[in-house]
Amino acid sequence: MAMQEITIDDVTNEENQIRQSIYSLLAHLFRQAPDEASLAWLATLETEGDEQTAGMAAAWSVLKLTASKTSPSQAADEYQLMFIGVGRGEVVPFGSWYLTGSLMELPLALLRQDLRRLGYERQEDTKEPEDHIAALLEVMAMLVEEESDIEQAAFFNRHIAAWCERLCEDVKRAEPAVFYAAVAELAQRFLTIEKTRFTQRPW
């Protein structure tokens, strides 16, 4: 029986599928609290593969365990306290806030220019500005799907790299954070790997 040859393109495609899935998962969790189905899926998630460093593997394990011990109502309450609150939550998940100390500032204007150039528009039912971390992760998932390495690097370095690690640290330190501390640890591990990817490779 002839063995199927595995090419560099096959490996790259599999890697990009994994990256896209992680971007999409993190975007979903930062966009809204997980429901019962999402928590159940996370609690039974099996991850494997050479793409995981020891840190990523540990972060997946903690998220899986935390999801198994979190109810939908607990997740909803935590999300409310973390990101919404009364007036504002414990953490303000917007790029402009981290880069300038205020909302709706120049980083958002520059982001909107890039989004228009890429052909992306905010959905009418979306209330948050486009520099919400969930929106940025959603864009990265789409760029990975389109397999545009240059656009991925440019977008990540311009709109995410400078502040994503500080956001994750703030989430982990926040008093209400239990489930979202695990989410932030996974996000920080993954985004740090991505940051290295986009600064070391010659695009």
Side-chain angles (χ1 to χ4, degrees), residues 7 41 121 156:
T7 67
W41 180 80
E121 295 182 1
F156 186 95

Side-chain angles (χ1 to χ4, degrees), residues 179-198:
F179 175 78
Y180 274 94
V183 173
E185 179 64 20
L186 177 65
Q188 187 172 32
R189 296 282 185 177
F190 174 66
L191 295 175
T192 299
I193 292 171
E194 289 288 278
K195 187 174 183 178
T196 301
R197 170 193 179 88
F198 293 133

Side-chain angles (χ1 to χ4, degrees), residues 12 20 24-25 27 31 47-49 51 54 63 67 70 73 98 110 117 124 146 152 174 185 190:
T12 301
Q20 182 191 6
S24 296
L25 172 63
R31 175 71 69 188
T47 60
E48 60 182 23
E51 81 285 347
L63 179 59
T70 303
S73 61
Y98 275 90
L110 296 175
R117 180 180 57 80
E124 293 183 359
E146 294 171 5
Q152 289 175 47
E185 179 64 20
F190 174 66

Side-chain angles (χ1 to χ4, degrees), residues 9-148:
D9 287 343
D10 292 332
V11 174
T12 301
N13 289 338
E14 182 179 0
E15 178 188 6
N16 284 340
Q17 288 174 1
I18 293 169
R19 292 174 57 233
Q20 182 191 6
S21 296
I22 297 174
Y23 273 118
S24 296
L25 172 63
L26 293 173
H28 176 75
L29 294 175
F30 278 117
R31 175 71 69 188
Q32 61 190 33
D35 58 15
E36 184 174 3
S38 296
L39 289 168
W41 180 80
L42 286 170
T44 58
L45 182 65
E46 295 295 335
T47 60
E48 60 182 23
D50 294 337
E51 81 285 347
Q52 290 188 42
T53 64
M56 278 288 287
W60 279 117
S61 296
V62 172
L63 179 59
K64 179 178 178 179
L65 178 62
T66 307
S68 71
K69 298 179 178 296
T70 303
S71 69
S73 61
Q74 288 173 326
D77 289 345
E78 184 177 331
Y79 187 91
Q80 176 71 27
L81 290 170
M82 288 293 301
F83 303 114
I84 301 174
V86 178
R88 54 167 281 195
E90 292 283 330
V91 176
V92 182
F94 296 94
S96 287
W97 180 267
Y98 275 90
L99 296 173
T100 70
S102 302
L103 298 175
M104 309 292 287
E105 292 291 339
L106 179 61
L108 178 58
L110 296 175
L111 170 63
R112 286 173 172 169
Q113 290 178 4
D114 281 351
L115 292 175
R116 284 194 295 269
R117 180 180 57 80
L118 292 168
Y120 299 147
E121 295 182 1
R122 183 174 65 172
Q123 296 180 352
E124 293 183 359
D125 58 346
T126 301
K127 298 179 181 179
E128 298 88 359
E130 294 90 332
D131 60 341
H132 190 289
I133 186 61
L136 297 174
L137 296 173
E138 288 164 357
V139 172
M140 284 301 300
M142 290 186 285
L143 291 174
V144 173
E145 183 178 18
E146 294 171 5
E147 300 182 355
S148 173

